[in-house]
Amino acid sequence: MSPAALLSALLLTAAPSSPGQKAKSLAASRAWEELYLAFSAGEASDVPAPQRGAVATALQKGCEALKDEDPVMAYSLGERATVYEESAGALRCLARAARKTDQRATAEAALRKGLAQYPKDGAFGLELGRLLMEEQDATGAVAALEKVPAKSKEAAEAKRLLVQARAKTTEETAARREAERLELRMNGATSGRPTVMVETQPAVAGQGRGATRSASLNYESGTGADGMRTRSNSRFVIKYFNNQRDFGQRAEYEGRIVAALDEAYDFTRSMLGEVRQAPVDIVLYTLAEFQTHFGAAKARAVAGLYSDNAIRINDAAELTQQTKATLVHEYVHAALDDFCDGYGNNLPVWLNEGLAEYVEWRYLGGEDPERSVRNYMAQAAKANSLPKLAQMEGASLIMQRNPTVAYATSAVAVRELVKRGGTGRFLTMVREVGRGRPIDEALTEHYGKTRASLDEDVRAALQ
């Protein structure tokens, strides 16, 4: 603790002060960590209404002071500032810090709230427009940029971006109409030839994280029952959402997809000791197609998802390292669904997502979330403000207050279980829970734990 912070703490100890006075004193001493810890838990109602503004202003000052040198702590301070008062300054700082720490969903929510509550402040419309343009949501960007007041200092920059966004909407509209036409065609298909699967000898599929062997079946062209052209073997059935895409014209890209799928299969087997037995569909979407099919919000939030017995990859135009990691993550969901006889949805969301996230971390070469997220979680663990496993049972983690932290907390919980008994014991428990056994009962039998005691293990691991 700095000398100034120590002096401030001594003064606070010597003479009881109100929450507002305490916050002002810590901010004046630039004791940002102590300020965060003092107000990191609890609700606004815990502070008398006349003092909430002072607490929020102090937290906002910390957010502004640290947004460049320590964006994780700045994010934490900004988030708490808005709990006590959703001022324009607090919302702006929270949005900026959230963007720096890749909490884009939080940034968007803060900007939208600011736009609604402070319509004369041009910064909210401009920053939201920029964010949505980066997320390839030109329609949303146009709506945000059009709300920037003509007389605001942000008006000129907003007008320039508005021209770009309107041009982009023309392209998106065309893509949306084509996707809708194809979806109608898919839904109306009633017959077709079954997928072709031909057994051959193993073949090398390229280089991944070390040499990777291809599936024991070659990929062969065929047509599914839904009328979609496919490339398939006994493990994977590859489809493009746009059925008019020519596999032959995209041979190089498809070859890399095949290698990445085999890599996901092999890596999952090396981690879990077993893999899915039934083949799984892999549906490749462009960003515009994914956005039309699943909505703009989900298209911005996820790189892919597993649903209806298919892994659906968002923005499959390029196969990046993150896209490959997404294939691994979603393949784990597909494997869990198979292990539970098609009832993977019966698993608590934290258990299902936690294993997928943990295996993805391992694929990317680590056992922890990225450093900025881990630092944030360490602070949250000290303040006992991490999400509880019991709160992450049934709804998608994207709906949590901080989805990144929710996914990472779930993965740390799974990591701690795997460390105690390996993947064999873990998957035995998973199968029981998938078939209806209560999670606390299964945790107690296999690990001597409950969700509450596992919460404590997660906190201890992060501290």
Side-chain angles (χ1 to χ4, degrees), residues 102-119:
D102 204 28
Q103 308 280 338
R104 300 177 78 86
T106 300
E108 181 180 341
L111 292 170
R112 289 190 183 281
K113 190 170 289 186
L115 186 60
Q117 295 181 7
Y118 304 98

Side-chain angles (χ1 to χ4, degrees), residues 5 8 35 47 65 76 80 97 103 123 139 177-178 240 248 259-260 313 315 385 404 406 433 444 449:
S8 177
L35 175 63
V47 173
S76 302
R80 294 308 296 172
Q103 308 280 338
T139 302
R177 286 174 178 169
E178 176 64 8
Y240 289 102
I313 302 299
D315 197 10
S385 59
T404 300
V433 175
T444 299
K449 295 287 179 184

Side-chain angles (χ1 to χ4, degrees), residues 6 67 98 110 225 228 255 410:
L6 179 59
K67 67 179 184 292
M228 297 290 287
S410 300

Side-chain angles (χ1 to χ4, degrees), residues 404-456:
T404 300
V405 171
Y407 275 95
T409 301
S410 300
V412 172
V414 168
R415 183 190 71 191
E416 294 306 298
L417 293 177
V418 171
K419 282 183 176 180
R420 283 174 169 79
T423 56
R425 180 185 298 182
F426 181 82
L427 292 178
T428 296
M429 182 188 74
V430 162
R431 285 183 166 94
E432 293 175 2
V433 175
R435 292 164 186 160
R437 190 175 192 184
I439 180 62
D440 272 346
E441 183 181 305
L443 280 170
T444 299
E445 177 174 331
H446 292 285
Y447 296 98
K449 295 287 179 184
T450 63
R451 287 167 296 176
S453 62
L454 187 53
D455 282 331
E456 293 304 312

Side-chain angles (χ1 to χ4, degrees), residues 207-429:
Q207 301 300 314
R209 300 168 68 84
T212 301
R213 301 293 296 179
S214 173
S216 60
L217 303 181
N218 274 349
Y219 287 82
E220 297 290 338
S221 297
T223 303
D226 56 5
M228 297 290 287
R229 295 200 306 275
T230 64
R231 294 296 298 276
S232 60
N233 68 6
S234 66
R235 297 175 180 174
F236 304 105
V237 181
I238 305 173
K239 306 177 180 182
Y240 289 102
F241 179 73
N242 183 344
N243 198 36
Q244 294 184 346
R245 290 212 190 121
D246 188 333
F247 280 102
Q249 291 176 355
R250 298 175 62 80
E252 181 182 354
Y253 172 69
E254 191 201 339
R256 289 185 286 123
I257 282 284
V258 166
L261 288 171
D262 286 343
E263 194 172 326
Y265 180 97
D266 289 341
F267 189 82
T268 302
R269 181 172 56 188
S270 71
M271 277 291 299
L272 303 184
E274 55 183 306
V275 286
R276 179 183 170 106
Q277 297 302 305
V280 60
D281 286 356
I282 310 292
V283 186
L284 307 178
Y285 296 75
T286 65
L287 181 61
E289 291 164 353
F290 197 91
Q291 183 171 298
T292 297
H293 204 58
F294 297 103
K298 186 162 286 188
R300 290 193 297 272
V302 301
L305 53 85
Y306 171 77
S307 68
D308 297 328
N309 202 38
I311 297 173
R312 303 172 190 277
I313 302 299
N314 182 13
D315 197 10
E318 294 296 333
L319 187 62
T320 64
Q321 184 70 1
Q322 184 54 56
T323 309
K324 292 167 70 176
T326 298
L327 279 171
V328 171
H329 182 113
E330 301 305 330
Y331 183 73
V332 172
H333 287 315
L336 284 173
D337 200 24
D338 193 58
F339 298 163
C340 296
D341 302 322
Y343 293 99
N345 287 338
N346 288 348
L347 297 174
V349 173
W350 68 265
L351 191 67
N352 200 325
E353 292 291 354
L355 180 63
E357 187 79 354
Y358 176 56
V359 174
E360 181 178 340
W361 289 352
R362 294 294 301 273
Y363 172 80
L364 292 172
E367 285 198 336
D368 293 288
E370 60 182 50
R371 186 173 64 177
S372 64
V373 176
R374 197 190 188 290
N375 290 342
Y376 174 86
M377 293 175 70
Q379 295 291 340
K382 286 182 183 178
N384 195 25
S385 59
L386 287 170
K388 307 297 184 187
L389 298 178
Q391 299 168 344
M392 300 187 290
E393 295 276 281
S396 168
L397 299 188
I398 294 173
M399 305 304 294
Q400 291 286 320
R401 181 178 181 181
N402 188 324
T404 300
V405 171
Y407 275 95
T409 301
S410 300
V412 172
V414 168
R415 183 190 71 191
E416 294 306 298
L417 293 177
V418 171
K419 282 183 176 180
R420 283 174 169 79
T423 56
R425 180 185 298 182
F426 181 82
L427 292 178
T428 296
M429 182 188 74

